[in-house]
Amino acid sequence: MRNLPSLRSVISLYAFIFVVWGFYRFLFKLPETVEELILKPIIWLLPLWWVLSNKEGMASPAQALKSVGWTTKNFTKSIYLAIGLGVLFAAEALLVNSIKYGGSFNFLAIPLTPIMFLGALGISLATAVSEETVFRGFIFARLASVLGEWRGNIVTSIAWALVHLPVTIFVFRYDAMQILTFLFLTFLFGAASAFVYARTGNVVSSVLLHVFWEWPIILFR
């Protein structure tokens, strides 16, 4: 099977991230800026770089970046798609916060400052770059080449939801219903993100969509 090496790389990388990031969630709780700006690139992106250079034989950084969707192809289309779906998922993000706070969340009551506004944007962008590069640019793209777009999307989105399971248990301490609801909403976002990536071949579309989704979660937490 021609794509078997890529499939093995996907499984190995996902297993590594799931176990290591899961253990981090269980054992530690550092400030969000440290988690998203330092730890996540180390735990998510460095192993991806190793896979691309050692398992897939990417000869240069430019080739590696292109292979995970960092390209100028369909750039304008990527922005339009992300904005179009972004409004919908910004609303979903507010629903996620409502679940987090047991239905008592009122974002209008939260005083916002420019520093909070820009800080949340920066963290959400850093998170989006790490997570979308791994999940849509690498995992989804490889699975879609083996399974087809829709099956690859479903498998990737399930894996994406499950990688968020440890945070719901060890950090948010949700009950069973909250966990299931949160994972379902996370799955829906993952499916939409893979959908726009499949339409554009450009991970910028997924990153921007992720920012629309993540920014309100961070800003109004």
Side-chain angles (χ1 to χ4, degrees):
M1 187 176 180
R2 187 176 59 182
N3 291 315
L4 190 57
S6 291
L7 188 57
R8 287 173 176 166
S9 296
V10 165
I11 294 171
S12 297
L13 179 64
Y14 179 77
F16 175 85
I17 290 173
F18 185 85
V19 171
V20 174
W21 194 246
F23 267 106
Y24 165 74
R25 289 299 192 192
F26 174 66
L27 296 171
F28 304 102
K29 181 64 177 82
L30 296 176
E32 195 168 33
T33 51
V34 175
E35 290 181 349
E36 303 302 333
L37 299 180
I38 299 175
L39 293 182
K40 189 163 284 182
I42 291 173
I43 295 173
W44 293 50
L45 294 181
L46 282 183
L48 172 61
W49 175 257
W50 184 87
V51 168
L52 292 175
S53 58
N54 290 278
K55 297 298 182 180
E56 296 199 352
M58 300 297 166
S60 67
Q63 185 183 11
L65 288 172
K66 185 177 180 180
S67 77
V68 291
W70 286 102
T71 174
T72 58
K73 181 178 70 173
N74 295 322
F75 186 78
T76 302
K77 182 179 180 180
S78 298
I79 294 175
Y80 286 148
L81 273 175
I83 292 174
L85 283 175
V87 175
L88 175 64
F89 281 97
E92 191 208 53
L94 297 179
L95 178 58
V96 170
N97 267 345
S98 179
I99 294 167
K100 182 176 179 180
Y101 293 105
S104 61
F105 175 70
N106 180 9
F107 70 92
L108 294 176
I110 298 177
L112 296 178
T113 66
I115 293 177
M116 290 172 60
F117 195 78
L118 294 175
L121 176 60
I123 292 174
S124 63
L125 181 59
T127 302
V129 168
S130 295
E131 295 186 356
E132 296 304 319
T133 300
V134 170
F135 270 88
R136 258 54 72 173
F138 180 75
I139 293 177
F140 168 67
R142 272 63 177 176
L143 287 180
S145 70
V146 177
L147 304 175
E149 178 187 338
W150 291 107
R151 282 181 291 184
N153 188 334
I154 291 171
V155 173
T156 303
S157 300
I158 291 172
W160 159 258
L162 289 177
V163 88
H164 289 82
L165 180 61
V167 74
T168 67
I169 298 172
F170 303 125
V171 179
F172 299 155
R173 301 189 184 280
Y174 287 166
D175 61 32
M177 185 55 66
Q178 287 176 315
I179 289 173
L180 289 175
T181 305
F182 180 88
L183 294 183
F184 175 70
L185 293 174
T186 303
F187 170 87
L188 288 182
F189 168 79
S193 185
F195 174 82
V196 298
Y197 183 82
R199 306 279 82 74
T200 64
N202 192 325
V203 79
V204 168
S205 59
S206 297
V207 167
L208 290 177
L209 185 61
H210 195 131
V211 169
F212 275 102
W213 183 66
E214 185 86 12
W215 193 8
I217 293 176
I218 296 173
L219 190 61
F220 299 117
R221 65 182 183 271

